[in-house]
Amino acid sequence: MSTSIPTVDHKDLMLSGSNRPFAALYGRNAKSVIQRGLLATKTSNASIMISGFVEPVLYLLSMGIGLGSIVGDVTGPGGHTMSYAAYIAPALLAVSAMNGAIYDSTMNVFFKMNYAKLYQNMLYTSLGPLDVAIGEIFLALLRGFMYATGFTIIMWFMGLITHPAGLLMVPAAVLIAFGFASIGMGITSYLKTFQQLDWITFVMLPMFLFSATFYPLSVYPQAIQWFIQAMPLWHGVELLRQLSIGYFTPGMLVHVGYFVLMIVVGVTLTTRRLRALFLR
Amino acid sequence: MTDPQAPATQRIDRSGTDAAVRLFNSSLKAHAPAESAKRARKFGTLYIAEGHLLAMRRYIDIIIAYSVGNPLMYLFAMGVGLASLVDANSANAFGVSYVTFIAPALLVSAAVMTAAGEFTYVIMSGFKWNRTFYGPLSTAITPYQISQGLQLAVTTRIFAQSIVYLLIVVLFGATGSAWAWVSVLIATLAGTAFGFPLMAYAASLEEERGQFQLVNRFIVMPLFLFSGTFFPLTTLPWFLQWIGWISPIWHGTELSRVFSYGYQEPLWLSIVHVLYLVALTFIGWHFSRRIFARRLEG
């Protein structure tokens, strides 16, 4: 019986790192993270998905119709007179983009990070932290895109969009969600207990209440106005409100730039944190 | 030589069993088993409530932030900010300033929201995750007392939080009536009217599949938005007004407005508000007791 043992070249057993730039961070496979997320969505509770869409609609009905009949017409961007419902609707869209993104990137990510150990498992494979970050943020944005489209359709049915530029609210809402999702995920990586999540809601509430959502910023003293203008939600509200009536100003570039900066900082932070946490 | 610092076991060796039991009881200030059981049967509800209130100390920072921060932010945003728009466009639509109009409503809403928070995950946790409801069962404490004790603890929290809220309302100058303190009681009652039935529901659940999030989104939020909180219920179209009629927030808010600034409503309507809130509280109390007994003894 002849035995032929295959000869093994020693070099075949050696693992060598890729020379591709950022190879340690990005495995070029964010797609599989997205695929897994979509599969998981199938088995989750559909009514919870729908509920995220219902909330801003309820606010619009309650505040827009109920309070609107008391408040009457208000002065919008550029001195345009608009109904109260038309005034708050874009703001509610911005708030819902923020809420959805923060919910997805804090509560959900916290659970996956600390309880399901999902990211730990993903990073044991050829996936890098950037794949995980991109995949998770993409999923959050897909959801945000669907909510924003639905809400814009409702606004259109209620006659609250008077200018074709109002359609640009959908991509703008996704941009807002992107900014909040990327920062939110980075912050979540620092949290240790469920109770600390309450503090995030506690920071979001004043942003929701004070960012010119329900009334113009001019009611505040100058110092408070500056503070609110430094907060991200105000830029989102202003951007969407101006788009809803097709009032374009150079200031819009500042609003967009704010979120672009937020995205860059957030993705960098998240990637670095995931690497520090799981790839030591 | 008797050393008072000597470990108890050494003393047990010297003094025999009876003396050891006596020593053990006196040093830990515990009662004899029969006496303990008697007291548990008598004060079980209070013991359970004490336990839950002590457990709340773990998240006391966020409780305080919510109880003080929430009223401050809402009163400022709505009562000062939004009021500038409302008062400018339709001054005297309510007969009082806008902040006076919404302050009692916000007080009641906050109580209901706290109840919604305390009577959901905490209940499921006691049965399913931490199983804290099963510990007392090994004593003479009954399931009825466990259910009531929890209700007493949360009611206490709502009551205390409402007092803080009222003080902030007074600081905002948003109440003109000497009877405004009654709204603390009304808010607490509205909290129990919403919270106790919710507790019964939460106790009946075996699995967490997002039901509490749905309760929050499809019940608590609509009730908050359509209960005449920010504007009179009658300004809504008729097909949305029924939400207010079934809402503990609306009944509590209307009643609270009567005491806070002398809001005019027929006496029979005020009586209906009280009866409705008491009835819901009673129904919730009754069914949560029953469901607790079924699950803990079954």
Side-chain angles (χ1 to χ4, degrees):
Chain A
M1 206 162 71
S2 69
T3 54
S4 66
I5 299 166
T7 51
V8 179
D9 189 350
H10 190 61
K11 267 161 84 180
D12 287 353
L13 294 176
M14 292 210 310
L15 287 172
S16 60
S18 166
N19 292 324
R20 194 166 46 79
F22 299 115
L25 291 179
Y26 186 50
R28 291 192 288 191
N29 200 8
K31 198 181 70 190
S32 62
V33 177
I34 295 168
Q35 259 175 356
R36 187 233 155 249
L38 292 177
L39 264 177
T41 312
K42 271 190 191 168
T43 54
S44 73
N45 198 333
S47 40
I48 293 179
M49 289 283 284
I50 298 166
S51 72
F53 164 70
V54 168
E55 199 167 3
V57 176
L58 289 177
Y59 263 96
L60 184 60
L61 282 179
S62 164
M63 303 299 236
I65 297 177
L67 196 61
S69 65
I70 291 169
V71 173
D73 285 347
V74 292
T75 313
H80 287 74
T81 302
M82 57 207 297
S83 74
Y84 188 63
Y87 181 78
I88 62 166
L92 292 174
L93 179 54
V95 169
S96 113
M98 171 181 84
N99 282 341
I102 291 287
Y103 180 80
D104 265 351
S105 65
T106 55
M107 317 277 175
N108 276 356
V109 167
F110 183 80
F111 177 78
K112 287 176 183 170
M113 204 176 263
N114 294 297
Y115 289 81
K117 305 280 180 207
L118 183 69
Y119 301 142
Q120 211 159 340
N121 285 325
M122 283 181 173
L123 292 169
Y124 287 154
T125 70
S126 64
L127 293 170
L130 197 58
D131 299 79
V132 176
I134 291 176
E136 282 294 319
I137 291 169
F138 177 84
L139 286 165
L141 295 187
L142 185 66
R143 206 160 145 178
F145 172 74
M146 292 193 301
Y147 290 168
T149 310
F151 191 78
T152 309
I153 291 173
I154 286 180
M155 274 180 74
W156 184 72
F157 268 111
M158 288 175 73
L160 301 178
I161 296 180
T162 50
H163 194 278
L167 292 179
L168 288 173
M169 286 195 305
V170 175
V174 174
L175 180 77
I176 295 168
F178 199 169
F180 280 106
S182 50
I183 288 276
M185 201 170 159
I187 292 174
T188 308
S189 66
Y190 288 98
L191 301 184
K192 294 283 170 283
T193 66
F194 261 112
Q195 276 77 20
Q196 286 173 331
L197 287 171
D198 284 345
W199 288 108
I200 292 179
T201 13
F202 200 67
V203 172
M204 281 163 64
L205 181 68
M207 270 216 278
F208 163 56
L209 288 174
F210 297 126
S211 295
T213 329
F214 295 111
Y215 47 87
L217 209 54
S218 55
V219 305
Y220 302 119
Q222 195 65 48
I224 295 181
Q225 287 190 27
W226 282 332
F227 179 72
I228 293 168
Q229 286 173 330
M231 297 284 122
L233 185 59
W234 179 79
H235 292 273
V237 169
E238 282 298 297
L239 181 62
L240 293 192
R241 191 171 279 151
Q242 289 176 7
L243 285 175
S244 76
I245 59 164
Y247 177 75
F248 290 91
T249 60
M252 268 184 182
L253 293 174
V254 177
H255 303 320
V256 173
Y258 191 103
F259 284 102
V260 171
L261 189 68
M262 219 172 144
I263 290 163
V264 173
V265 172
V267 172
T268 314
L269 177 71
T270 303
T271 310
R272 289 178 62 137
R273 281 292 296 168
L274 284 177
R275 190 155 85 152
L277 283 173
F278 300 122
L279 291 181
R280 273 171 300 202
Chain B
M1 204 170 84
T2 319
D3 180 10
Q5 300 298 319
T9 43
Q10 283 180 24
R11 283 180 277 174
I12 286 168
D13 283 344
R14 272 202 300 272
S15 39
T17 319
D18 281 355
V21 167
R22 247 182 283 124
L23 183 69
F24 181 77
N25 285 342
S26 67
S27 64
L28 285 179
K29 293 202 168 53
H31 307 290
E35 173 70 7
S36 267
K38 210 177 90 186
R39 279 170 187 256
R41 272 192 290 275
K42 206 168 165 188
F43 303 115
T45 302
L46 288 177
Y47 289 169
I48 296 287
E50 183 192 14
H52 281 294
L53 284 171
L54 288 176
M56 279 182 202
R57 282 200 306 201
R58 273 180 56 224
Y59 48 97
I60 189 72
D61 50 350
I62 195 75
I63 288 183
I64 291 173
Y66 265 112
S67 326
V68 180
N70 251 11
L72 267 179
M73 284 192 280
Y74 263 100
L75 279 169
F76 190 77
M78 299 307 187
V80 180
L82 188 60
S84 70
L85 212 56
V86 173
D87 288 342
N89 288 17
S90 53
N92 270 329
F94 311 100
V96 288
S97 73
Y98 190 59
V99 66
T100 310
F101 175 76
I102 61 164
L106 291 175
L107 175 59
V108 171
S109 301
V112 168
M113 287 194 185
T114 298
E118 289 279 357
F119 283 126
T120 47
Y121 290 102
V122 179
I123 305 296
M124 175 148 290
S125 176
F127 281 115
K128 190 177 159 71
W129 298 317
N130 293 338
R131 297 178 68 82
T132 43
F133 298 155
Y134 292 85
L137 270 190
S138 58
T139 69
I141 291 175
T142 65
Y144 281 180
Q145 289 172 326
I146 296 174
S147 165
Q148 290 169 172
L150 187 60
Q151 290 172 335
L152 182 63
V154 176
T155 309
T156 308
R157 180 189 158 180
I158 297 174
F159 181 69
Q161 169 197 310
S162 299
I163 292 175
V164 175
Y165 213 131
L166 181 71
L167 290 177
I168 293 174
V169 168
V170 171
L171 282 182
F172 267 77
T175 173
S177 165
W179 287 95
W181 61 270
V182 181
S183 59
V184 169
L185 302 179
I186 297 166
T188 311
L189 181 62
T192 58
F194 183 80
F196 289 7
L198 178 62
M199 174 179 171
Y201 169 70
S204 73
L205 296 175
E206 310 257 332
E207 291 281 334
E208 205 277 325
R209 283 199 218 91
Q211 296 99 328
F212 297 141
Q213 216 184 322
L214 295 181
V215 165
N216 211 23
R217 283 261 167 85
F218 290 114
I219 299 179
V220 180
M221 282 316 292
L223 290 188
F224 172 59
L225 289 171
F226 298 98
S227 286
T229 315
F230 297 112
F231 46 85
L233 198 60
T234 45
T235 53
L236 279 177
W238 58 270
F239 56 86
L240 288 174
Q241 290 190 16
W242 62 271
I243 304 177
W245 298 335
I246 59 165
S247 165
I249 299 185
W250 181 71
H251 290 279
T253 296
E254 293 288 284
L255 200 55
S256 178
R257 281 187 177 135
V258 171
F259 288 99
S260 292
Y261 65 87
Y263 169 72
Q264 297 293 321
E265 71 170 8
L267 182 64
W268 65 266
L269 194 54
S270 299
I271 294 170
V272 168
H273 294 324
V274 177
L275 289 180
Y276 184 75
L277 294 177
V278 170
L280 276 182
T281 304
F282 179 78
I283 291 170
W285 169 79
H286 174 72
F287 280 102
S288 30
R289 269 167 51 114
R290 287 255 306 258
I291 294 168
F292 264 65
R294 198 187 68 212
R295 276 192 80 169
L296 293 175
E297 282 171 348

